[in-house]
Amino acid sequence: SLRHVHIHNFLAMSATPDTGSAVVFEMDIDKFTSPDSADPNPAVVINVPQTLEQRVAALEQAFVRRASLKRVPDSGASLNHVAAPNIANPAPLGLFGFSIATLCLAFFDMNALEPAFRISVGIMGFFIGGVAQFAAGMWMFHRNNTFSATAFSVFGCFWMATGFTIYLETTNSTVPTVYPAGKSLLNAVMTMVVFILFVATIRINKILYITLFFVVGVFGFNIGAPWTQVCTRIAGASALLCGLGAMYLAAADLINEVWGEKLLPELPASVHKHDFEPEARKHARPRRHWHKEVTAHAQI
């Protein structure tokens, strides 16, 4: 990536006119080359005229030139790797939040827990499934990870709303608890959203693909849950499976990153098979859910 930019004599030219000065951009050029030059080590040098307007125009031209630089990979290198960001990987936090909240609700829906535990499910869902996931989603935006940012943000908001609703229904007798049409509508909308995420996982990895498949089942069967207990039980079983899948993904993401080895397989799609190699985890951030052009990192 571009490491540093120096603008020589630009401010000095405003006070001391001279016959010719230059704006020079020094770059990390072992990975970049100019698209219209055979020189592998270019420097962007632009002679700046005397007037201030012309100098500003020349400076803008230099930035446009910088944005047009294209990345040239090393021999055998993969374009799926970009420089690691300066924040930790928030994916395990989001996945653990999703998994813990979903598993607790799954056991509750299958009548495996005491009814009094419902308020704990609501509180845990709000903070772990909601706040933690939403925070992970916001950090994923900073990591330029569109899929995870979208998924964690959506599920985080959903769990904050669900957890708060469960808490109110449990602690306040004036809050209505029977609104089957509204619950079915909410689950139908969430089914469509999760199905879109499910389609996107085809290009990521198979375990996430299977996990989202069961998430679609959770919301799909919950459409009929207000009218039949059978749908509630099936939705609970689907939630159990998707919660276990998310737990495995969180463990694999965390353990493999800390150990620097592929101890837990994640079965990536072929387009991302190099993203999960041990060397890639040590030296670069996998572009696991990022399908933009690599040149986007060189844009102004």
Side-chain angles (χ1 to χ4, degrees):
S1 60
L2 303 180
R3 290 180 181 169
H4 52 272
V5 177
H6 292 299
I7 303 178
H8 296 294
N9 301 326
F10 183 74
L11 295 178
M13 286 187 296
S14 299
T16 307
D18 50 39
T19 56
S21 298
V23 178
V24 180
F25 290 81
E26 296 178 359
M27 305 175 187
D28 178 15
I29 37 197
D30 56 338
K31 302 291 183 185
F32 290 84
T33 185
S34 172
D36 56 354
S37 173
D39 183 6
N41 298 314
V44 180
V45 181
I46 299 175
N47 291 324
V48 181
Q50 294 299 311
T51 66
L52 180 60
E53 292 77 7
Q54 291 174 327
R55 293 170 187 170
V56 172
L59 187 60
E60 291 176 348
Q61 179 184 355
F63 275 98
V64 171
R65 172 82 173 190
R66 172 191 167 196
S68 67
L69 295 177
K70 295 183 179 297
R71 178 159 186 159
V72 177
D74 293 330
S75 177
S78 171
L79 288 181
N80 285 338
H81 302 120
V82 295
N86 57 358
I87 64 170
N89 179 14
L93 171 64
L95 289 167
F96 277 128
F98 176 87
S99 175
I100 293 170
T102 303
L103 287 174
C104 290
L105 187 61
F107 282 111
F108 186 82
D109 285 344
M110 293 187 295
N111 294 329
L113 301 173
E114 299 86 351
F117 186 70
R118 191 167 188 266
I119 188 172
S120 298
V121 173
I123 296 174
M124 189 177 301
F126 181 87
F127 286 103
I128 298 180
V131 176
Q133 272 199 95
F134 186 78
M138 294 299 102
W139 284 320
M140 278 297 184
F141 278 113
H142 181 65
R143 289 173 65 92
N144 206 14
N145 190 324
T146 306
F147 176 87
S148 293
T150 304
F152 286 144
S153 300
V154 168
F155 287 128
C157 290
F158 171 82
W159 265 109
M160 282 190 281
T162 300
F164 189 60
T165 301
I166 292 175
Y167 176 78
L168 289 179
E169 291 176 348
T170 307
T171 59
N172 192 336
S173 59
T174 62
V175 175
T177 59
V178 180
Y179 41 95
K183 289 182 177 180
S184 295
L185 176 62
L186 173 62
N187 284 291
V189 172
M190 286 299 299
T191 300
M192 291 187 285
V193 173
V194 175
F195 181 77
I196 294 172
L197 296 174
F198 166 71
V199 173
T201 60
I202 297 174
R203 283 179 59 90
I204 302 175
N205 69 66
K206 297 180 179 62
I207 296 179
L208 185 59
Y209 176 83
I210 295 172
T211 301
L212 264 292
F213 173 81
F214 287 112
V215 178
V216 174
V218 171
F219 289 105
F221 283 105
N222 270 330
I223 296 175
W227 286 279
T228 171
Q229 192 67 18
V230 175
C231 288
T232 302
R233 298 291 179 85
I234 297 176
S238 298
L240 177 63
L241 294 173
C242 73
L244 292 175
M247 184 75 73
Y248 178 86
L249 285 169
D253 214 4
L254 182 64
I255 293 174
N256 291 354
E257 180 178 311
V258 171
W259 284 77
E261 300 179 21
K262 190 167 61 176
L263 300 178
L264 297 176
E266 295 168 281
L267 305 178
S270 58
V271 70
H272 290 297
K273 63 182 179 180
H274 297 298
D275 294 357
F276 297 84
E277 295 173 355
E279 287 302 313
R281 288 186 176 277
K282 292 178 182 178
H283 303 295
R285 169 172 65 89
R287 199 184 69 173
R288 188 174 314 164
H289 316 305
W290 186 51
H291 301 288
K292 300 177 183 178
E293 292 294 331
V294 174
T295 52
H297 266 280
Q299 301 297 320
I300 299 299

